[in-house]
Amino acid sequence: MADRDRLSGDAAPWWSGATFYQVYVRSWQDSNGDGTGDLQGIYERLDYLGSLGIDGIWLSPTMPSPNTDWGYDVSDYKGVHPDLGTHEDLSRLVKEARNRGISVLLDLVPNHTSSAHPWFVEARSGPSAEYRDWYVWAPPKEGNAPPNNWISATGAPAWTYDETSGQYYLHNFLPTQPDLNWWNPAVHSEFESVLRYWWDRGVAGFRIDVAHGLYKDDQLRDDPPATDADPPQTRRGNLSPIYSEHRPEVHQVYRAWRNIADSYEPGRVLLGETWEFDHKRLGDYYGREAPELHLCFNFPFVFSGFSAKEIAKVVESSLAGLPAGATPTWTASNHDVGRFPTRWCGGDNRAVKAALLVMATLPGTMVLYYGDELGMTDVDVPPELQIDEMSLAQPGHPGRDRGRTPMPWTGEKNAGFTVPSARPWLPLGDHSSLNVQAEEADPQSVLNFWRRLGRLRRSRKIGAPSQLETLLLDDQCWVYRAGGVVTVANLSPEAARVLLPRQIGKVLVSSSPEKEAGDAGQRLSLGPWEVLVADEA
Ligand code: NOJ
């Protein structure tokens, strides 16, 4: 058993305090010149992943899919999408990554399947079909109206009428993504077999899509109107989706899955896409009476403003809301919300370094999105090249394609993502200077900063469970002690002076590398967005 699989001396399992890296497979590295990234491409770039000091990668959907939602519409849970490679490619990647101390997580989509999945195709054949009850069907209301008022993620009704049977089926996302019926025990057995299937093949775990949504109200009650208590990100239209999502029955699913995960040696990991904005309710997904998910995405953090007071507040609320011993997660970009170097930092690399340093020095597990380590920003994808149906269905939506564009490896045509003659599946941004090769050559680059930081985080186990103590918080700066180090962060575009309550020690990593040689002291002058992490004393 590798060292990292053991419980460490302080009893933290390997995933607690780890650094994960989300690889959006289609956009990372194309190995066969078809313009789409693939598994072999990731295999060929394992040295790069190793250089980032990460512990695991989460691969965006790898299973066969007609791609109406780019893999989040699965047509075979035990397969590999032919665009991305084969079972052998995935096994080789999992094995070689593991040899280098990098675990592989797959994306699992249990809330819905593709409408092209054989289960749904069969279910659709009529009310007495074998798989009928695997999905959520209901008769029309008067005047052929949908069974209730539920709204899908696109803002359109969550029901589509099926001519053959004269009933509606439910889809909380696109009509091509029918929701599974988790009241049916056969669905539970099937997904348990999917978990085991991949776990038996050495996959370390899963990121669970729509983890808060599997169960729906058994009486299909109307969702009530949203109130001020519903953050905009959780609303469906102007409704509060308390009956169409967030049902308490979902917790029994995760208790069962956790038991299976923990029956493996070493333990496997479950990371939920828990779209929950109340930290106490988010904490419920870790399990209160019995363990559930190991890790849960922290969307209040993702959507926080990026100022000292806002970040300190959301971090403190995260730490207070989760059950004792639960590991919070810190992430700021993904394939849905776009990239933090744009949202938080307006493309200013000083702010990007500040954000990376704060996330890397909080107690908990950190998830980078590919390109975060370069300061990669969202790319303006012209309307004629936009391909994300979910955002195209929502007038005024800025589009998710902008955060999914290919990884820039070099400054050449197609950036080394694919061969220069290919047409990348999404356009690249301006990669003349923002690319791996250029950043490797520049000691001040975001990439070289991240590498120093990532190494420190790993060697000092900074993310391991610890208490966080705020030493100073004002409109510009947040200074805190956690994980055996002190973080000093000027999260503002103005220079700042801070007087700390006590002396702190040697600067370990700083966005001003000349400071890395000396002691931080007690009185510090910080440039705009300047950050450092130092020994306690
Ligand atoms: C969340 C995924 O991250 C997103 O990309 C997808 O569209 C929805 N779930 C539906 O699966």
Side-chain angles (χ1 to χ4, degrees):
M1 193 202 309
D3 240 355
R4 53 195 292 283
D5 296 327
R6 290 209 191 91
L7 294 184
S8 63
D10 52 9
W14 70 270
W15 42 264
S16 176
T19 307
F20 288 105
Y21 182 90
Q22 179 187 356
V23 178
Y24 196 81
V25 183
R26 291 187 166 261
S27 283
W28 210 62
Q29 178 64 63
D30 174 19
S31 72
N32 60 2
D34 66 359
T36 295
D38 47 44
L39 297 167
Q40 174 64 16
I42 303 173
Y43 179 84
E44 289 170 12
R45 292 281 189 189
L46 278 169
D47 283 349
Y48 177 76
L49 289 172
S51 80
L52 299 180
I54 56 171
D55 306 284
I57 53 176
W58 148 33
L59 304 180
S60 297
T62 48
M63 296 167 192
S65 157
N67 285 336
T68 61
D69 188 15
W70 299 107
Y72 288 102
D73 46 333
V74 175
S75 54
D76 174 7
Y77 287 91
K78 295 180 180 166
V80 173
H81 199 300
D83 288 359
L84 309 181
T86 61
H87 266 287
E88 291 66 44
D89 294 331
L90 182 56
S91 298
R92 194 173 332 111
L93 172 61
V94 167
K95 198 161 162 228
E96 186 52 29
R98 191 92 218 108
N99 288 340
R100 296 164 185 241
I102 298 174
S103 300
V104 177
L105 272 65
L106 299 186
D107 216 315
L108 182 70
V109 189
N111 180 67
H112 46 267
T113 69
S114 161
S115 52
H117 195 295
W119 303 335
F120 190 71
V121 173
E122 198 275 347
R124 227 175 174 170
S125 65
S128 55
E130 190 187 340
Y131 285 91
R132 186 73 173 183
D133 197 32
W134 282 47
Y135 295 89
V136 185
W137 299 89
K141 286 216 300 218
E142 220 181 291
N144 222 23
N148 65 20
N149 71 350
W150 294 355
I151 298 288
S152 79
T154 67
W159 297 94
T160 286
Y161 185 66
D162 174 56
E163 296 283 347
T164 317
S165 60
Q167 293 194 329
Y168 279 88
Y169 69 86
L170 178 71
H171 51 86
N172 267 331
F173 294 89
L174 294 169
T176 50
Q177 295 168 295
D179 277 54
L180 283 159
N181 173 18
W182 278 86
W183 291 98
N184 181 347
V187 172
H188 291 238
S189 314
E190 180 63 32
F191 274 88
E192 290 176 9
S193 102
V194 171
L195 295 177
R196 290 183 203 276
Y197 178 84
W198 291 111
W199 276 335
D200 289 346
R201 280 158 183 75
V203 163
F206 298 93
R207 175 265 189 190
I208 302 157
D209 191 60
V210 196
H212 55 285
L214 310 194
Y215 269 86
K216 329 293 170 207
D217 179 48
D218 56 351
Q219 298 163 52
L220 303 181
R221 279 172 282 189
D222 275 356
D223 279 329
T227 67
D228 290 348
D230 295 289
Q233 297 89 348
T234 60
R235 297 178 186 203
R236 286 291 171 109
N238 212 15
L239 301 175
S240 176
I242 60 168
Y243 292 121
S244 52
E245 301 179 303
H246 307 282
R247 303 304 301 159
E249 294 83 4
V250 76
H251 293 286
Q252 77 200 23
V253 175
Y254 300 133
R255 282 181 210 143
W257 290 11
R258 175 66 176 253
N259 281 335
I260 304 175
D262 291 349
S263 72
Y264 280 80
E265 176 61 34
R268 305 298 204 245
V269 63
L270 298 165
L271 161 62
E273 190 216 11
T274 37
W275 199 254
E276 181 54 80
F277 282 69
D278 173 285
H279 277 122
K280 193 165 152 322
R281 283 201 299 271
L282 178 64
D284 294 346
Y285 285 90
Y286 287 85
R288 300 271 175 197
E289 282 107 57
E292 298 183 21
L293 302 177
H294 302 84
L295 297 167
C296 296
F297 275 113
N298 183 354
F299 284 101
F301 182 82
V302 175
F303 284 102
S304 167
F306 189 54
S307 68
K309 286 201 169 152
E310 287 165 295
I311 289 289
K313 186 168 168 211
V314 72
V315 167
E316 274 159 21
S317 148
S318 311
L319 297 173
L322 306 189
T327 300
T329 67
W330 314 110
T331 187
S333 306
N334 71 29
H335 62 289
D336 294 328
V337 304
R339 299 181 173 280
F340 82 78
T342 299
R343 283 188 301 113
W344 276 357
C345 311
D348 183 335
N349 278 345
R350 298 171 305 177
V352 172
K353 290 176 184 171
L356 288 171
L357 188 130
V358 168
M359 287 191 278
T361 55
L362 293 172
T365 292
M366 175 178 184
V367 188
L368 285 171
Y369 185 48
Y370 80 98
D372 281 353
E373 76 282 15
L374 305 174
M376 185 174 173
T377 45
D378 288 341
V379 171
D380 246 335
V381 177
E384 65 281 9
L385 296 181
Q386 291 181 16
I387 52 177
D388 173 39
E389 285 187 32
M390 190 86 73
S391 32
L392 287 169
Q394 301 171 66
H397 193 291
R400 299 188 298 183
D401 295 320
R402 71 197 199 287
R404 300 176 175 183
T405 59
M407 176 80 170
W409 295 99
T410 68
E412 69 187 326
K413 179 157 190 275
N414 286 341
F417 159 68
T418 184
V419 290
S421 57
R423 182 167 185 266
W425 81 295
L426 276 176
L428 284 116
D430 176 4
H431 56 281
S432 49
S433 57
L434 200 160
N435 64 67
V436 172
Q437 197 176 52
E439 293 206 22
E440 283 188 328
D442 172 7
Q444 307 289 344
S445 67
V446 177
L447 177 59
N448 280 319
F449 175 76
W450 165 260
R451 282 180 172 158
R452 296 202 304 281
L453 186 59
R455 268 199 303 272
L456 176 76
R457 174 174 159 84
R458 204 174 199 199
S459 65
R460 297 280 291 256
K461 294 191 165 56
I462 291 177
S466 71
Q467 293 293 321
L468 180 142
E469 182 194 356
T470 289
L471 303 179
L472 183 149
L473 177 63
D474 62 26
D475 286 338
Q476 287 181 278
C477 297
W478 186 27
V479 180
Y480 55 90
R481 194 174 67 88
V485 291
V486 174
T487 296
V488 180
N490 176 9
L491 302 184
S492 84
E494 314 293 338
R497 282 169 186 283
V498 293
L499 174 60
L500 300 179
R502 54 180 181 263
Q503 295 267 354
I504 56 170
K506 186 169 161 320
V507 178
L508 302 166
V509 170
S510 165
S511 55
S512 301
E514 69 282 359
K515 290 198 176 159
E516 283 177 20
D519 268 7
Q522 188 168 10
R523 214 176 265 281
L524 287 89
S525 293
L526 301 166
W529 299 111
E530 188 177 334
V531 286
L532 60 85
V533 49
D535 267 328
E536 288 192 39

